[in-house]
Amino acid sequence: MDFEDLIPAPRAGRRVPPARGTFTLDEATALHAAPGTERVARWLRGTLGAATGLPFAEGREGSGIVLRVDPELAPEAYRLAVDGHAIRIDGGSAAGVFWGAQTLRQLLGPDAFRRAPVDPARRTWDVPKAVIEDAPRFRWRGLMLDVARHFLPKDGVLRYLDLMAAHKLNVLHFHLTDDQGWRIEIRKYPRLTEVGSWRARTKFGHRASPLWEQKPHGGHYTQDDIREIVAYAAERHITVVPEIDVPGHSQAAIAAYPELGNTDVIDTTALSVWDDWGISPNVLAPTDSTLRFYEGVFEEVLELFPSRFVHVGGDECPKDQWRRSAAAQARVRELGLAGEEELQAWFIGHFDRWLTARGRRLIGWDEILEGGLAPGAAVSSWRGYAGGVTAARAGHDVVMCPEQQVYLDHRQDAGADEPVPIGYVRTLEDVFRFEPVPPELTPEEARHVLGTQANVWTEVMEDAARVDYQVFPRLAAFAEVAWSALPAPPERDFAGFERRMTAHYRRLDALGVAYRPPTGPRPWQRRPGVLGRPIDGPPPNR
């Protein structure tokens, strides 16, 4: 495989003479891991060893594959040098070495992405002689995975961590709770999973669809499952950021513990886990007992997730029940607030202080700007760029994930064959030309843009194959946006990217990814007659 076929594109690469020379891996090729690179060596032996059938025995520093930490490099930067004697991967940290190892895997060709050798008789693997020097543009390169609407079993999550690593993405934003399901075991509150993790039926298609799947849907991760996921991610230098949604998107929790809801407005004991899509009107009551309950939830969450950031949602919280609730209105008066918007800000601010006191940082969707932003909070800007611009100008850190640009549940084409078409058309080229940093930010303000993530909401994705179809191949383009030092969007070489994708589709095939082919959906990927919600015209850019 040519080094010019890499995705994401590296910052710099050059051939080592002779121009078509190679270094050959065979059964005698050893692997030397200098201090700090042992986990990368374990991944290489387990992954490339399985695909190639080569043992990669322990070797000395001067030959074979050599892994080293070079403190002169930036933390996630790497230098991959292949000559006639060795393959040397130097990284500014173990993470940098790992990203270099991912590049080596691409250089070995698509069969290096399989789990066992496809040709047992093959004994040699050639790597082109080259020097590749690379580093990421952003430190937050994320994928948000919604497992609340449609549950993705643990093995599917581990698989997506591998797919993220193959694309040099390093943050999994794990959307664990919503109106339609609670997916994480909380030992203090067992009914959250006993009751909250299952719904009786599921809407098939958009919320306006008349179709239902008349069988229970659900599942959850035990705490040991979560520990396994977090450890598996850490081996791949991926941080898992948990999301526990408050104070909206909480009907599953209220169904399990009715006292969490606005009991003076509705009979919360009659609520069940929601079986529809959209925004539920049933939100958490702004009481001290609700705060104490969720502090208990977050105490266990912090034990499981070492991530500095903890996502608290904060989006799409209807205020009607608070307006009608005597208890909520009394709380507004007690706190001297101007209204329900500030009541939500008070709710979020409580957990900002609570998390800060424990050495963590709160991050939430851009609605947490309404009513005043908590001092230490960071913002996931999803309703366009405006929330991120406001937050950055106020000195808050931002992750850019505008719905109109990088929501991968949006349709990929305007054609009638697209399955359950949602939102704007966002083609592979559209994602490739996405720019995370708004041009109106000054250089100082732009430093608050931690990075970017693509979001995958699974209302209309009933299984892993549908998730694959919506995510790929667009995640490859997004990964290049997040990693590579690209020119301004109009100047980006999409034709060159398409050429590199020709090689990358073969890698995705080897990984078993059910991506959308460039020619359109395969017959079994279509969903004829299932209602979606397409939006015509180009999406707004702000």
Side-chain angles (χ1 to χ4, degrees), residues 7 27 65 82 131 136 222 261 268 347 392 434 468 493:
I7 288 179
E27 292 181 343
I65 301 174
V82 184
V131 175
T222 68
T268 56
F347 200 108
F434 164 60
D468 275 8
D493 180 10

Side-chain angles (χ1 to χ4, degrees), residues 1 69 114 131 140 149 184 198 202 238 243-244 288 324 369 421:
M1 186 65 65
V69 172
R114 298 187 180 274
V131 175
W140 185 301
R149 273 52 174 272
I184 178 173
W198 290 91
T202 297
I238 296 171
E243 181 182 354
I244 305 295
D288 289 339
R324 294 160 49 206
L369 289 161

Side-chain angles (χ1 to χ4, degrees), residues 210-452:
L211 304 176
W212 293 88
E213 186 179 39
Q214 298 286 352
K215 69 177 183 181
H217 176 87
H220 74 275
Y221 310 106
T222 68
Q223 293 203 355
D224 282 344
D225 290 337
I226 294 292
R227 291 185 181 96
E228 180 183 357
I229 288 167
V230 169
Y232 196 86
E235 288 276 328
R236 287 146 185 80
H237 298 275
I238 296 171
T239 299
V240 184
V241 175
E243 181 182 354
I244 305 295
D245 217 332
V246 296
H249 286 295
S250 298
Q251 184 166 325
I254 298 168
Y257 291 91
E259 65 271 21
L260 296 173
N262 295 281
T263 56
D264 61 343
V265 174
I266 61 163
D267 178 10
T268 56
T269 64
L271 293 177
S272 59
V273 177
W274 208 26
D275 57 16
D276 208 345
W277 312 131
I279 303 171
S280 169
N282 298 301
V283 302
L284 298 175
T287 63
D288 289 339
S289 60
T290 299
L291 297 180
R292 299 293 88 76
F293 182 98
Y294 273 87
E295 285 172 2
V297 170
F298 282 115
E299 283 170 357
E300 296 191 28
V301 167
L302 297 192
E303 290 175 2
L304 295 168
F305 294 92
S307 164
R308 187 183 179 200
F309 285 97
V310 176
H311 208 289
V312 300
D315 62 316
E316 297 179 329
C317 178
K319 309 299 190 297
D320 181 63
Q321 289 184 357
W322 289 353
R323 293 186 186 99
R324 294 160 49 206
S325 165
Q329 291 303 310
R331 176 51 56 100
V332 169
R333 291 190 296 273
E334 170 197 336
L335 296 170
L337 303 177
E340 293 77 25
E341 299 294 341
E342 288 191 4
L343 186 60
Q344 173 162 335
W346 164 83
F347 200 108
I348 297 299
H350 173 85
F351 286 103
D352 177 65
R353 293 185 296 274
W354 190 91
L355 289 167
T356 299
R358 288 154 182 81
R360 306 298 184 96
R361 285 191 66 190
L362 180 146
I363 186 169
W365 303 110
D366 55 53
E367 284 95 332
I368 68 173
L369 289 161
E370 298 165 4
L373 187 57
V379 170
S380 301
S381 186
W382 76 274
R383 294 179 300 176
Y385 289 89
V389 170
T390 299
R393 285 177 171 167
H396 291 270
D397 289 337
V398 177
V399 175
M400 297 302 301
C401 49
E403 172 188 18
Q404 304 88 342
Q405 312 298 327
V406 287
Y407 268 34
L408 299 186
D409 44 304
H410 283 212
R411 56 193 173 134
Q412 303 186 63
D413 189 86
D417 287 336
E418 288 304 307
V420 199
I422 298 296
Y424 295 102
V425 172
R426 293 286 84 191
T427 65
L428 183 67
E429 181 173 0
D430 290 330
V431 175
F432 181 71
R433 297 194 190 280
F434 164 60
E435 173 48 51
V437 179
E440 61 264 43
L441 293 182
T442 67
E444 178 62 31
E445 292 165 346
R447 278 194 278 273
H448 285 291
V449 179
L450 299 176
T452 182

Side-chain angles (χ1 to χ4, degrees), residues 148 151 179-183 191-202 215-220 252 255 272-275:
F151 180 63
D179 298 307
Q180 297 86 0
W182 184 284
R183 304 296 177 216
R191 287 177 59 83
L192 285 173
T193 47
E194 291 170 359
V195 174
S197 69
W198 290 91
R199 58 179 180 262
R201 62 177 187 167
T202 297
K215 69 177 183 181
H217 176 87
H220 74 275
S272 59
V273 177
W274 208 26
D275 57 16

Side-chain angles (χ1 to χ4, degrees), residues 165-177:
H167 292 83
K168 298 185 173 73
L169 300 175
N170 69 343
V171 177
L172 173 65
H173 174 169
F174 209 14
H175 184 79
L176 289 163
T177 73

Side-chain angles (χ1 to χ4, degrees), residues 57-112:
E58 181 62 38
R60 55 190 177 84
E61 186 169 349
S63 63
I65 301 174
V66 179
L67 311 179
R68 298 179 299 192
V69 172
D70 180 354
E72 296 296 316
L73 296 174
E76 287 191 280
Y78 70 87
R79 180 174 55 251
L80 172 61
V82 184
D83 59 23
H85 306 287
I87 298 173
R88 296 177 179 84
I89 305 176
D90 297 332
S93 66
V97 177
F98 182 72
W99 304 130
Q102 292 290 349
T103 296
L104 172 61
R105 188 187 192 189
Q106 290 197 20
L107 292 174
L108 287 169
D111 285 348

